[in-house]
Amino acid sequence: MTNRLTLGTVLSLILAMTSCDCVVDHQGYVLDSRTEKPIADATIKFDKREYKTDSLGYFKIHYITGFCPDWDFQIEKENYKTEKIIIELEDDEIIYRVQSKNDNRGSMEENSLNFKIKDDTIHFYLTDKRIY
C-alpha cells in the first residue's frame, strides 16, 4: 500500500510539473511598410529575450518555459519607427493591440495595419522614419 501511495504521489508531481510547461513557438517576417521588402537585422524583443531577423527578414522564436509569457513583441530597427504588438487571449478571442513609440511623446495605442497573420506566421511592417 505504501509503494502505491508513493508511486501515485510521484506520478502526480510529474504530471503537475509537466502540465505547467509552455511551448513558445512564433515565427514571422519584418518588412518595410512601403516597399514590402525584408528588413535584415531587425531586433524582435519577446519575453525579455532578443532575436534578429535574417537577410529575408525572417525570425523564429522557439523554446519551452514553465509558464506561458505575455505575447508582447517589440520590433526595432534603426531609422524605423519602433512598434510594439500586444496579443491578448480573452476567452476564445485573440485581441491584437499596436503601440507605436512617438519620439518625444512616449507611446500611444493605435489601430494599425502594421502586422498581419498569414498561416500562423506574423508579418510586421515597419515605417521608415526618414520618409515622413
Side-chain angles (χ1 to χ4, degrees), residues 2 6 10 21 54 68 75 82 84 86-87 90-91 96 107 109-110 124 127:
T2 306
T6 305
V10 170
D21 285 347
D54 64 14
C68 287
I75 306 93
T82 297
K84 183 172 184 177
I86 302 166
I87 303 171
E90 193 170 292
D91 298 323
Y96 300 94
S107 40
E109 195 170 311
E110 61 183 43
F124 294 114
T127 304

Side-chain angles (χ1 to χ4, degrees), residues 27 117-121:
Q27 62 182 348
I117 308 293
K118 299 178 187 175
D119 301 320
D120 294 330
T121 301

